[in-house]
Amino acid sequence: MTRPDSYRGRFAPSPTGDLHFGSLLAAVGSWLLARHADGAWLVRIEDVDPPREIPGASVRQLETLDAFGLHPDEKVVRQSRRGHLYQDALDRLLRSGDAFECHCSRSDLAASGGVHRRCVARSPRPDPAIRLRVPDGTVIGFEDAIQGPQEQDVSRDVGDFVLRRAEGYWAYQLAVVVDDRAQGITDVVRGADLLGSTPRQIFLQQVLGLPTPRYAHLPLVVDAHGRKLSKSDAALPVDAGNPLPALKEAWRALGQDPVMIEAADGVASLLERARAGFDPDRIPHSGHIALAATHNDGFIFAP
Ligand code: GLU
């Protein structure tokens, strides 16, 4: 029997490619933190951006998680099937006047650096986006469990943000807030590339009257040249056929003691040892962490 306040974490990949080391780190980090808290660990496929989706990627991502021994505790959900939930939230926001139709084009917003503060569209468009109104002086602060205290003036730095795109697709910010709530997520653990999105998500939770989960943003993995692994062309898939080296590398990148998992001879025994020996306080508090292995080593990447 789970207590209503018990820990529920998740890993939420977008199916824009195979699982690379940066996403594996988010998967392993969120899994370890959930297991450390005796909590549940869920997987959600964030497939709300069809133009960026790679056919077959979500299936391969799930197979890769499986090969790495990271098994979700509940049925995997797909955002592409959950449009009705996003529509309900959007309808509420439209009714309350917190969301509005926006006819501005990209060029309309160029003068304000893309930050939307009021509509300046010269002509209506057939496919308006829907944005959330962010009143002046909306400053959101939160304590990130890894990155420390954060604060952002959402009105000034981001402006009124998109909830449904002009093409009709759901925006990540809306879908993630609705789903984290619908799935009862208490702890969001993900890469630090999403640190800057968190104030938007907290503000949206506040407007919708939803509780805010705890947040922990893991350091971003960079390559030997300091380039983001997740965004660079060099974001090679991890090798699902040989998971141990990448799991060991993830353990090291999370600042954990290699001795703890030294004796492991398979995925299950490694994860069992990792679960027992994991110390959240050892996770580096930096924004970046360099990958020790290079592509030339090849050993953690798919051949
Ligand atoms: N789907 C997002 C990504 O793959 C992650 C969203 C999240 O963890 O909140 O970058």
Side-chain angles (χ1 to χ4, degrees):
M1 186 71 180
T2 51
R3 285 173 292 122
D5 61 345
S6 60
Y7 187 113
R8 287 172 67 83
R10 89 304 193 270
F11 172 58
S14 302
T16 50
D18 289 352
L19 221 60
H20 52 69
F21 188 74
S23 10
L24 179 72
L25 197 70
V28 173
S30 59
W31 184 89
L32 281 167
L33 282 159
R35 291 297 180 249
H36 187 72
D38 278 330
W41 184 74
L42 278 54
V43 173
R44 177 171 76 225
I45 300 290
E46 301 211 318
D47 51 353
V48 280
D49 193 355
R52 289 189 59 225
E53 186 165 343
I54 303 287
S58 68
V59 172
R60 286 197 301 279
Q61 287 175 332
L62 293 174
E63 284 168 359
T64 304
L65 288 176
D66 204 51
F68 278 82
L70 303 170
H71 309 300
D73 295 313
E74 294 175 15
K75 197 164 172 286
V76 172
V77 303
R78 292 178 176 272
Q79 290 190 323
S80 55
R81 315 246 168 92
R82 298 165 69 81
H84 57 288
L85 296 175
Y86 315 141
Q87 188 66 55
D88 286 350
L90 190 72
D91 288 344
R92 277 182 53 199
L93 295 167
L94 283 166
R95 272 200 304 275
S96 62
D98 291 303
F100 62 94
E101 264 189 15
C102 170
H103 293 265
C104 298
S105 65
R106 230 177 259 268
S107 55
D108 288 329
L109 299 180
S112 56
V115 173
H116 189 285
R117 298 305 298 133
R118 62 192 173 83
C119 281
V120 293
R122 279 177 294 267
S123 52
R125 42 192 298 171
D127 56 348
I130 296 181
R131 291 181 184 269
L132 184 73
R133 204 178 298 285
V134 182
D136 286 342
T138 300
V139 177
I140 300 287
F142 69 101
E143 179 71 27
D144 188 88
I146 297 171
Q147 307 293 332
Q150 308 290 319
E151 191 177 88
Q152 187 184 56
D153 184 331
V154 184
S155 39
R156 188 194 62 205
D157 299 348
V158 181
D160 306 320
F161 56 90
V162 172
L163 301 172
R164 202 184 68 199
R165 291 156 54 182
E167 311 92 309
Y169 301 131
W170 296 107
Y172 157 67
Q173 308 293 354
L174 176 65
V176 76
V177 163
V178 168
D179 280 337
D180 282 339
R181 176 57 192 160
Q183 297 190 282
I185 300 302
T186 60
D187 291 79
V188 172
V189 179
R190 57 189 178 192
D193 51 335
L194 291 162
L195 196 56
S197 283
T198 307
R200 254 170 286 178
Q201 294 170 20
I202 294 175
F203 178 61
L204 182 52
Q205 288 153 3
Q206 292 175 353
V207 175
L208 285 166
L210 304 176
T212 291
R214 288 179 289 261
Y215 287 95
H217 287 83
L218 298 166
L220 272 195
V221 185
V222 293
D223 67 14
H225 307 285
R227 287 183 304 230
K228 264 194 217 171
L229 205 65
S230 55
K231 298 285 189 286
S232 74
D233 294 338
L236 298 177
V238 289
D239 189 354
N242 183 25
L244 280 190
L247 278 174
K248 288 183 180 162
E249 186 69 18
W251 180 253
R252 189 201 63 85
L254 290 168
Q256 304 301 306
D257 183 354
V259 172
M260 294 284 177
I261 56 167
E262 217 165 45
D265 56 2
V267 170
S269 77
L270 186 147
L271 290 178
E272 210 31 64
R273 288 176 162 82
R275 183 180 176 151
F278 178 61
D279 178 359
D281 292 336
R282 290 183 66 127
I283 298 177
H285 290 240
S286 61
H288 294 96
I289 185 150
L291 186 62
T294 70
H295 303 144
N296 297 335
D297 298 336
F299 70 104
I300 69 169
F301 302 108

